[in-house]
Amino acid sequence: MIYEIKFAHGESNVFAISDIELAPQTEVILRSDKGNFYGKIVREISEEANLEIHHTIVREVNEDDLQVIAKLEERSKQAKDKVRQLVIEQGLEMKIIDVAYNFDQMQLFISFTAENRVDFRLLLRELATTFRIRIELRQIGPRDAAKIHGGLGPCGRPLCCSEFVYEFPNVSIKMAKNQNLSLKQNKLNGLCGRLMCCLTYEDSFYKEAQQLFPDFGEFVTTSEGKGKVVGLNVLKNRVKIRFGEYSKDFELAEIEVNHG
């Protein structure tokens, strides 16, 4: 069986094989040629999928493992403070998002964000001298940072990316236009500062539904005469028509589209 594994820190999800059946959200210990790691099952993957697999699930996390993990997380917090201190001392324009040891403490993962290119060669040498283990620096985007930190979205629920979005979708401002949403950035952006992933959830529905509707600015014929389309309400199946000095809503079935 093949499973997708999520880590708490900034490393990308990986795929691992297992001889035992495991449920989503199960915490596991896994092994690769880089050492041992701990993570959480996201989902089972079809064995027919063409994937590069470098990890093997060793076992479910047990009580002894939980004690080790608790100590590792405390050490990781201390390491994060030290890394941030070194970044400040060197005046580097980068923001440390997360620092985490792997399960056998042979590797330290450091994820960061940066607006511009950063020369961190000196930092890497300082880190190697300070921690004396293998260091992996990984630059991530603002969406990845939000996924790690988590938080509440405008809907009041935990961020989708922290809960169940495994791969970030392609989101465009056109999706907001299709759904007749406000185009103000503060209304459309998530905590990451990018367009919210949830804009994609109903996009296919609106695309399909709008094929039945006239376009904005198109002229249509109604029981009150010929007018111009100035508004659409896909969910209520209504069209807003302007006739000279006034506007009125009509059911979609009550209008006739004039394409001429």
Side-chain angles (χ1 to χ4, degrees):
M1 286 162 281
I2 303 173
Y3 294 97
E4 184 175 0
I5 310 296
K6 174 184 176 181
F7 298 104
H9 52 86
E11 191 182 4
S12 300
N13 289 6
V14 299
F15 301 99
I17 58 174
S18 173
D19 293 330
I20 57 176
E21 188 172 348
L22 298 162
Q25 302 304 309
T26 301
E27 293 182 303
V28 294
I29 304 298
L30 53 157
R31 178 184 297 126
S32 76
D33 56 0
K34 294 182 179 180
N36 295 325
F37 304 82
Y38 61 95
K40 185 180 291 186
I41 299 282
V42 173
R43 55 177 172 165
E44 185 175 354
I45 303 295
S46 170
E47 295 188 4
E48 297 179 358
N50 185 21
L51 301 169
E52 288 189 18
I53 302 175
H54 303 291
H55 295 74
T56 301
I57 294 176
V58 179
R59 62 179 180 274
E60 289 188 45
V61 166
N62 55 40
E63 289 299 323
D64 291 338
D65 294 331
L66 289 174
Q67 293 181 22
V68 173
I69 291 170
K71 292 178 180 178
L72 284 175
E73 290 179 345
E74 183 59 36
R75 285 199 63 194
S76 295
K77 290 179 182 178
Q78 296 171 1
K80 187 176 184 178
D81 291 338
K82 182 60 179 177
V83 173
R84 283 178 167 170
Q85 179 185 338
L86 291 173
V87 168
I88 293 172
E89 289 175 356
Q90 295 187 21
L92 298 175
E93 294 185 0
M94 55 191 291
K95 181 179 180 181
I96 302 300
I97 300 300
D98 201 31
V99 176
Y101 285 95
N102 70 332
F103 188 73
D104 50 20
Q105 301 182 59
M106 298 298 292
Q107 193 168 3
L108 188 65
F109 294 92
I110 302 171
S111 54
F112 70 94
T113 58
E115 293 292 333
N116 303 302
R117 183 180 178 86
V118 179
D119 184 354
F120 48 73
R121 288 174 294 181
L122 178 58
L123 174 64
L124 200 53
R125 287 197 293 270
E126 288 286 344
L127 292 171
T129 301
T130 301
F131 296 103
R132 298 187 179 279
I133 59 174
R134 180 177 175 179
I135 304 293
E136 184 169 319
L137 276 168
R138 180 169 175 259
Q139 184 170 357
I140 62 176
R143 284 187 170 186
D144 295 291
K147 183 173 185 175
I148 293 171
H149 285 309
L152 298 178
C155 59
R157 298 181 59 84
L159 298 181
C160 298
C161 58
S162 295
E163 294 290 302
F164 60 85
V165 173
Y166 311 125
E167 297 179 3
F168 293 116
N170 293 320
V171 192
S172 69
I173 196 71
K174 187 177 180 180
M175 294 178 179
K177 292 179 179 178
N178 288 341
Q179 297 172 48
N180 200 25
L181 299 174
S182 168
L183 299 184
K184 294 181 179 179
Q185 289 300 115
N186 62 341
K187 297 282 189 180
L188 299 177
N189 288 350
L191 295 185
C192 59
R194 301 294 189 269
L195 291 172
M196 293 185 292
C197 296
C198 58
L199 290 174
T200 64
Y201 297 168
E202 299 176 1
D203 185 56
S204 58
F205 163 77
Y206 277 91
K207 282 182 178 178
E208 183 177 343
Q210 286 181 354
Q211 293 178 7
L212 304 173
F213 284 77
D215 291 331
F216 279 96
E218 196 163 2
F219 285 91
V220 297
T221 299
T222 73
S223 58
E224 297 196 20
K226 188 175 182 180
K228 185 178 181 181
V229 176
V230 294
L232 305 176
N233 191 324
V234 174
L235 296 180
K236 292 185 176 181
N237 213 39
R238 298 182 70 81
V239 182
K240 190 172 187 177
I241 311 297
R242 174 168 287 280
F243 305 95
E245 299 300 323
Y246 71 99
S247 298
K248 187 175 179 180
D249 285 346
F250 290 85
E251 289 287 339
L252 179 61
E254 297 177 345
I255 67 172
E256 180 184 339
V257 180
N258 301 309
H259 294 291

